[in-house]
Amino acid sequence: MLIERIYDEDLAQASYLIGCQANGTAVVVDGRRDIAVYQQLAEKNGMKIVAVTETHIHADYLSGTRELAAATGATIYLSGEGGPDWQYGFDGKRLYHGDKFSIGNITVQAVHTPGHTPEHLSFLVTDGAFSDQPGYLLSGDFVFSGDLGRPDLLDEAAGGVDTRFEGAKQLFASLRDKFLTLPDYVQVHPAHGAGSACGKALGAIPSSTVGYERLFAWWGPYLAANDEQGFINELLDGQPDAHAYFGRMKRENREGPAIMGDRTPLPELAIGTVAAGLAEDTLTFIDTRHSSEVHEGSVARSLNVPAGKSVASYGAWVVNPGTDKNPLVLLAQDQKTAQDMWDHLVRVGIDNVAGYVTSIEGLPTFTPKLIEPRELDEFDPAMVVDIRNKTEHTAGHIPNSYQLSGGRLMWRLDELPAEGAIVTYCQSGVRNSVAASALRRAGYDVVELDGSYVAWTAWQQARQSVSSS
């Protein structure tokens, strides 16, 4: 048997290819939409992808289940659990608790583990060539290394009202009646790692075991004492802000993400063509440089989505495909870099990319407004906005600042003043540049705090040092 973990650092998301080496067949679990990685992995190991499935209706990325099935002819398996409100809107074989399907010598058994979502399945995997007992659990967003999937996302991102409490109770029951009944040796392979917003304290270790989690995870003592209320209180306390785009992911994943098919490589666009499109507002420019370069001058009304490991995350903060209909133009050093960024964007449903340019020369530019921390006391903005997470804000913030995390900002503009300057900050400035670019494009007078909270803290310390000397 082959188990390969495919990890996306951008979204801290893990998918899996499980293959039977005896007959050359494989299943992909929780795949993403840029599917070449799975096809190449299968080909490398002489396997054909014959099945695709997912643990639940995801909120943080757009599922590649339909994309893979369309490309390979694989059979789709989907959860049939959760009741009528949590049924998928596209075709696939429905799995219920205890149902099994086989890939050569490998058996995959569905285990209904509600809590994170009502329909959530985990998958017990048995290598029939080695044992008649399961040795692996693909736990999805149920159990992570050292943590659990949060039960409040339906409230935070999908329009639910107080579903978190029932979800927390379901998680407690799923742990007690499903997870902890498994042998300690069963290996646990979760769908997320450190940095994911699907939990609050995910470990960076890629896998664990039932026994290790039983002994050392934070929730172990609550289960051992059968303390359901204590478990619920601890689970719900301190969960990070959920990104607003999660609601869109939930809807699209339930209905069935659009199938892209073969994508034509992104073309390099003529500067004149891009300039005309920007003038007519029929194109949206994505400045992919670091905030330090953007602050020296950027394309007018552009969005800052820094190249690197967070393209999908930041892209989903500032681009809403449901309302932003302009094709995107990426700033990239070459075609390969542009294509990689596009791969990241399609993971969150941002498909409409026209092409790329390698320079901003010849395009209309402007210089973002910045303010030094020492100038803030004398400035009179309409609002100071902290775009960090609420947990960061609680740990320390600029007095009288208003917390509105970057992942929610563009969906909650009604909380911002319609007139007057808005000063924005994050921890060091990168997230702030992303959020500020979106506000500027929306017509707000934005002034970025240079160096953000780190610089402001240093200025306060320096001022106190001078005052006490």
Side-chain angles (χ1 to χ4, degrees), residues 54 57-58 62 66 78 83-90 94 248-257:
E54 54 193 63
I57 301 172
H58 296 281
L62 211 52
R66 294 186 75 220
L78 301 169
D85 292 337
W86 292 97
Q87 297 304 302
Y88 285 88
F90 59 96
R94 295 312 195 250
R248 176 170 61 87
M249 296 293 94
K250 276 285 184 187
R251 291 190 300 273
E252 294 186 29
N253 279 326
R254 179 181 173 182
E255 295 164 4

Side-chain angles (χ1 to χ4, degrees), residues 68-82:
L68 261 171
T72 65
T75 300
I76 294 176
Y77 294 92
L78 301 169
S79 174
E81 297 281 3

Side-chain angles (χ1 to χ4, degrees), residues 100-176:
K100 301 177 181 179
F101 65 91
S102 297
I103 304 295
N105 292 325
I106 299 166
T107 301
V108 179
Q109 180 178 356
V111 181
H112 185 213
T113 49
H116 177 67
T117 60
E119 83 291 350
H120 193 287
L121 298 178
S122 298
F123 294 112
L124 277 171
V125 179
T126 301
D127 181 2
F130 188 75
S131 171
D132 62 355
Q133 298 297 315
Y136 313 88
L137 180 75
L138 301 191
S139 57
D141 286 20
F142 168 37
V143 175
F144 301 127
S145 293
D147 202 8
L148 301 171
R150 60 192 296 180
D152 63 324
L153 279 185
L154 303 184
D155 290 346
E156 294 292 316
V161 178
D162 290 339
T163 65
R164 66 190 69 203
F165 302 109
E166 178 61 26
K169 289 182 179 180
Q170 289 178 339
L171 268 177
F172 188 86
S174 292
L175 287 168
R176 180 192 61 208

Side-chain angles (χ1 to χ4, degrees), residues 351-364:
D351 303 350
N352 192 11
V353 179
Y356 71 98
V357 296
T358 59
S359 171
I360 64 172
E361 187 175 347
L363 299 177

